[in-house]
Amino acid sequence: YFAVCGSSLIRCRGSPRIQSLSVGDMMTPLTFLQLDESRRFFSSNKPQRTSRKNQNNGVVMNENLIQVLMRQSDAAAGDLMVRLVIDEGPDKPSSIDVVPLREAMETAIDLDVDLIGINLNQDPPVVKAQDYTKLAYKASAKKQTKNDKKPTKEFKFRSGIADNDLNRKVGDIVKYLKKGHNCQLMITANAFNMRTNPGGLQTLIGRIFEQVGDVGICEKGVQNNEDGNRAFLVLRPNLNASKQ
């Protein structure tokens, strides 16, 4: 049996023989949950070791979560309401319901998962019944994906650029695209080039696209300013081209 007494948790062996404890001058009622001896409490094999790890990660769950919630409220486990989120799996939306803390504990135990604090400052507090190892793995994978995102490379071109400079810059663009970087391009034309070669800006953009080929994709198209002397575009890597 697992007993909740005020903000304390008590593990019991055998059938409970008392229904309350004397705390100071008051008799505090006990809330009992019967557990199958062949099963673990929640899903953690070693709650104490997990608790120390969770404290470092800022995660409050299982025994620690119940203690925190009981300290925040004067209500008993059967009266303290929480907003319980249950992870139904990757292909189903999570179910959400406001239930007593005791029911949330029983649900987590029945599902053989952890009871995790999500937002304890909300009224009622939000908790989630989910396997903590899966939650930690998803958070780690999301952080790794964010860290793996490569920075955008910026390039500037001017109308009338020499062929060798154009070839060198476009060669660098192709190299970065193949490495997985997005490339942001700004193409400009000064007043002299606008007078002597009005279509020089668009011609230069066409030459860049021709040399980049199918290595890069310009999804949002070319953005021109009102004066027509400046253009912006972003090339992203063509993953299909890199596989060929």
Side-chain angles (χ1 to χ4, degrees):
Y1 285 85
F2 177 77
V4 180
C5 176
S7 61
S8 301
L9 301 176
I10 304 172
R11 293 179 184 272
C12 308
R13 290 185 178 275
S15 300
R17 299 181 180 179
I18 58 175
Q19 298 300 320
S20 63
L21 288 178
S22 175
V23 180
D25 297 331
M26 301 178 59
M27 294 297 292
T28 302
L30 298 180
T31 300
F32 288 96
L33 294 177
Q34 186 173 5
L35 306 181
D36 188 341
E37 292 182 358
S38 64
R39 297 177 56 194
R40 303 168 294 175
F41 175 58
F42 296 116
S43 70
S44 300
N45 278 317
K46 299 179 180 180
Q48 293 181 352
R49 177 177 298 179
T50 305
S51 298
R52 288 197 296 269
K53 180 179 180 180
N54 292 341
Q55 187 176 6
N56 295 333
N57 292 336
V59 178
V60 182
M61 71 181 205
N62 296 345
E63 291 96 328
N64 288 346
L65 172 63
I66 298 170
Q67 289 175 344
V68 170
L69 291 174
M70 297 298 289
R71 292 192 187 104
Q72 289 181 351
S73 174
D74 295 331
D79 300 326
L80 175 59
M81 306 301 292
V82 297
R83 191 178 303 275
L84 176 63
V85 180
I86 302 177
D87 183 21
E88 300 289 356
D91 299 329
K92 297 181 180 179
S94 299
S95 61
I96 304 175
D97 197 10
V98 177
V99 299
L101 174 59
R102 176 176 178 175
E103 183 176 335
M105 296 161 60
E106 292 173 338
T107 300
I109 293 171
D110 290 340
L111 296 176
D112 197 23
V113 296
D114 299 293
L115 191 62
I116 305 169
I118 302 299
N119 187 351
L120 303 186
N121 295 323
Q122 187 172 323
D123 185 20
V126 181
V127 299
K128 188 171 186 178
Q130 184 179 12
D131 188 342
Y132 174 72
T133 56
K134 294 182 179 179
L135 185 67
Y137 175 79
K138 289 181 180 179
S140 176
K142 185 176 181 180
K143 183 178 180 180
Q144 185 65 33
T145 301
K146 184 177 180 180
N147 292 337
D148 288 344
K149 187 176 181 180
K150 298 181 179 180
T152 298
K153 299 297 182 178
E154 298 182 358
F155 295 87
K156 295 181 180 180
F157 294 84
R158 286 187 179 181
S159 179
I161 184 173
D163 290 344
N164 59 328
D165 291 334
L166 174 63
N167 295 335
R168 175 178 53 82
K169 285 190 174 183
V170 176
D172 290 339
I173 291 174
V174 171
K175 179 179 65 176
Y176 283 119
L177 287 171
K178 289 182 176 180
K179 290 182 177 180
H181 295 267
N182 288 345
C183 294
Q184 178 177 299
L185 281 63
M186 181 174 71
I187 303 98
T188 61
N190 57 27
F192 175 78
N193 284 326
M194 291 292 291
R195 289 195 305 268
T196 58
N197 187 12
L201 194 70
Q202 298 303 321
T203 301
L204 176 57
I205 294 174
R207 293 180 64 187
I208 293 173
F209 281 151
E210 182 180 358
Q211 293 191 37
V212 170
D214 62 354
V215 178
I217 298 176
C218 181
E219 287 187 332
K220 297 183 178 180
V222 180
Q223 307 295 322
N224 296 279
N225 67 345
E226 295 180 357
D227 297 331
N229 62 350
R230 185 171 299 180
F232 301 89
L233 62 97
V234 176
L235 296 172
R236 71 166 180 82
N238 184 356
L239 300 180
N240 294 329
S242 63
K243 293 178 181 179
Q244 295 175 357

